[in-house]
Amino acid sequence: MANIVPSTIARGLSSGVANRILAKKYVLTKHFEGEPKKSDFIVVEEELPQLKDGEILTEAEYLSVDPYMRAYMIRFKMPADMIGGQVAKVIESRSAKVPVGSYVTGSFGWRTHSIVNYDNPSADQQLPVHVLPDFGPYPVSLALGLLGMPGNTAYFGLKELCQPKAGETLVVTGAAGAVGSHVGQIGKILGCRVIGFAGSDEKCQYLKKELGFDYAFNYKTANIRSALKEAAPNRVDCYFDNVGGEISSIIMSHMNKYGRVAVCGSISSYNDTTLPKVSIVQPSIVFNELKLEGFIVSRWANRWQEGIMANLKWLKEGKLKYQEKVYHGFDNMVDALVGMLRGENTGKAVVKVK
């Protein structure tokens, strides 16, 4: 492989050769078996072409690691470029809509540089590329968390599917993660009683003391049924499910009639080589006439900025708080992914590329 100069922009040696851009990217060579491993990937370089009209060249500053990455890659034929969102700086532009020096966010994958047709995006692009609004004093990395895909997952998933009302009881699993911690705070803004389940006593203290959850329990040590009887004596109206598994079956059995369940993910089993057996949920769904709906946040791509601006407004008003777990270095992407899946993070996990 050719050496990469620090800027990764190498000038051709002969006068007749135009500038060339060498990008580094992660390629998954085989489907994950259990926990992701570095040996599942190779890092390759590719030479990018010159920009065409309407295109922009971006350089990654922050890359995201999210639970969905572990689950989604099974859909791809190997080898496949690793998926994921990033915040990137525009270093060259042939789009009148995007000036050099601005920041964008998009699903560019685990790569250092990308060329994107901003003026005429491809039809298979899951989420549109967005030029970031002015975040004021807040870091641009929030475009991968509170002010990005996880924030919109919480905003739309809770408000559109659970439709919580003031005075109702909301339960959130994975409550200390990027999505769960946001869901619980929105629940409090909307006047709900909020109960969270997280993976350590430290995380539970953070949820109660910093984020204002009414109750938080360590699912590894608590008796889930007893915890629900204590925290939700009038049972549960809304459940935001990030984890799946037996805990979800128990929570659904403790819901009120016409309760609503937003199914966001099932991180509890993503690394399992055989799926766990859990109690059936159909009796709870039928007899309590529950509404249970799974979702992918791209459903609201045409309302993306609505969620970003609503969350930004709440943040500026002091109604939302956040934490970030920042890993460092493009070479540490796999360690960051594994750490996030193990629950090392409170709040959003991101990788600072340089």
Side-chain angles (χ1 to χ4, degrees), residues 163-203:
Q163 299 181 358
K165 303 175 184 65
E168 290 190 325
T169 296
L170 164 68
V171 171
V172 187
T173 47
V179 173
S181 60
H182 195 157
V183 169
Q185 291 183 85
I186 295 176
K188 291 303 298 180
I189 291 170
L190 299 177
C192 293
R193 178 189 188 94
V194 177
I195 303 163
F197 287 93
S200 72
D201 292 341
E202 181 182 12
K203 289 180 178 180

Side-chain angles (χ1 to χ4, degrees), residues 55-123:
E55 292 183 336
I56 58 175
L57 170 64
T58 68
E59 184 173 43
E61 292 210 359
Y62 290 92
L63 297 179
S64 183
V65 286
D66 300 283
Y68 78 86
M69 296 174 179
R70 175 62 181 79
Y72 274 39
M73 291 308 293
I74 193 66
R75 303 180 177 191
F76 294 89
K77 182 179 178 181
M78 297 292 108
D81 291 358
M82 187 60 184
I83 59 175
Q86 62 172 257
V87 171
K89 193 171 187 177
V90 178
I91 58 175
E92 187 179 344
S93 177
R94 292 191 63 179
S95 168
K97 302 174 183 177
V98 188
V100 170
S102 57
Y103 286 93
V104 297
T105 183
S107 301
F108 305 155
W110 287 11
R111 54 184 300 124
T112 58
H113 293 79
S114 304
I115 289 179
V116 182
N117 193 321
Y118 187 85
D119 293 354
N120 295 290
S122 61

Side-chain angles (χ1 to χ4, degrees), residues 10-12 14-20 47 50:
R11 184 175 299 278
S14 67
S15 60
V17 179
N19 290 353
R20 61 193 177 97
E47 184 175 333
Q50 297 297 306

